[in-house]
């Protein structure tokens, strides 16, 4: 399953399809943007095998220079993404795709603290079964309590994420 309707919060069991979707999307993104990007990463819970997640593929695109994000808009719009600007999330260009929403792109400049935190948290969960289990249990609890409030759902995960980042 892929896609989360606007205003809803629910989790789906992890599936190999998410990794395949990421790979397909990565190839499409790279085709028109090679001169601006350094790397493309699968981030978020769909990138952590075995953990339930909101069925949206989160993609981190690493730019040579933050201002290059503006040069990427038309190519990504041709792939069905909507550009949401730089004011939604700190120090990143943000794009989303679909209704229900199926993909999100977070464009960071190389060396961004926010990018490094995303990658460190993802990798920690991939390598720590106890943390992965605890995080999934928290996400299930929060998704059940916040079925129609994605902001509260995300906000209430923050303490767990911060505690992990402080340990690594």
């Amino acid at each position: 399953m892929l896609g989360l309707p606007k205003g809803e919060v629910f989790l789906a069991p992890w599936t190999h399809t998410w990794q395949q979707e990421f790979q397909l999307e990565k190839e499409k993104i790279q085709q028109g943007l090679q001169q601006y990007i350094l790397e493309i990463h699968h981030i978020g819970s769909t990138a952590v095998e075995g953990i339930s997640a909101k069925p949206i593929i989160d993609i981190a695109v690493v730019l040579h220079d933050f201002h290059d994000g503006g040069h990427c808009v038309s190519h990504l719009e041709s792939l069905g993404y909507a550009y949401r600007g730089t004011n939604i999330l700190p120090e990143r260009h943000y794009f989303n795709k679909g209704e229900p929403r199926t993909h999100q792109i977070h464009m960071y400049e190389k060396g961004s603290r926010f990018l490094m935190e995303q990658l460190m948290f993802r990798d920690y969960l991939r390598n720590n079964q106890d943390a992965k289990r605890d995080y999934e249990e928290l996400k299930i609890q929060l998704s059940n309590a916040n079925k129609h409030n994605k902001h509260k759902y995300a906000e209430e995960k923050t303490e767990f994420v911060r505690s992990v980042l402080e340990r690594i």
Side-chain angles (χ1 to χ4, degrees):
M1 160 167 204
L2 191 61
L4 187 69
K6 192 171 194 156
E8 291 187 34
V9 176
F10 63 83
L11 304 179
W14 190 87
T15 172
H16 287 284
T17 302
W18 291 343
Q19 182 62 30
Q20 295 164 353
E21 285 287 336
F22 165 74
Q23 288 298 331
L24 289 170
E25 210 65 16
K26 177 182 178 179
E27 291 170 15
K28 293 176 193 174
I29 292 166
Q30 284 176 320
Q31 286 175 359
L33 303 178
Q34 301 93 329
Q35 69 267 36
Y36 303 115
I37 60 177
L38 292 168
E39 301 171 305
I40 300 176
H41 299 278
H42 189 182
I43 59 172
S45 294
T46 61
V48 180
E49 186 172 344
I51 193 170
S52 296
K54 293 184 298 179
I56 300 171
I57 306 301
D58 281 292
I59 301 168
V61 174
V62 184
L63 301 167
H64 291 282
D65 182 279
F66 187 76
H67 300 292
D68 288 341
H71 300 295
C72 300
V73 174
S74 63
H75 175 67
L76 293 174
E77 286 178 341
S78 77
L79 299 177
Y81 285 91
Y83 182 51
R84 303 301 183 192
T86 58
N87 297 327
I88 305 280
L89 299 164
E91 296 180 32
R92 68 192 97 174
H93 295 273
Y94 175 69
F95 300 79
N96 61 20
K97 180 179 184 177
E99 185 51 52
R101 190 170 8 123
T102 58
H103 299 76
Q104 301 180 128
I105 294 176
H106 310 268
M107 283 191 159
Y108 303 90
E109 183 173 61
K110 65 182 175 197
S112 162
R113 175 179 66 94
F114 297 104
L115 170 63
M116 299 290 92
E117 288 176 351
Q118 284 279 347
L119 296 175
M120 288 187 316
F121 185 70
R122 179 202 65 192
D123 292 347
Y124 185 80
L125 291 179
R126 284 178 171 175
N127 296 305
N128 187 308
Q129 292 301 313
D130 291 339
K132 181 167 49 172
R133 182 195 63 242
D134 292 346
Y135 189 54
E136 182 177 43
E137 288 173 3
L138 175 64
K139 288 165 45 97
I140 291 168
Q141 177 187 24
L142 294 176
S143 67
N144 288 331
N146 299 292
K147 291 181 185 290
H148 301 288
N149 190 337
K150 68 179 183 178
H151 299 292
K152 189 170 181 188
Y153 167 80
E155 179 184 309
E156 291 183 354
K157 294 187 305 180
T158 301
E159 184 179 327
F160 183 92
V161 173
R162 289 281 163 232
S163 71
V164 166
L165 291 173
E166 288 172 2
R167 286 189 300 230
I168 55 178

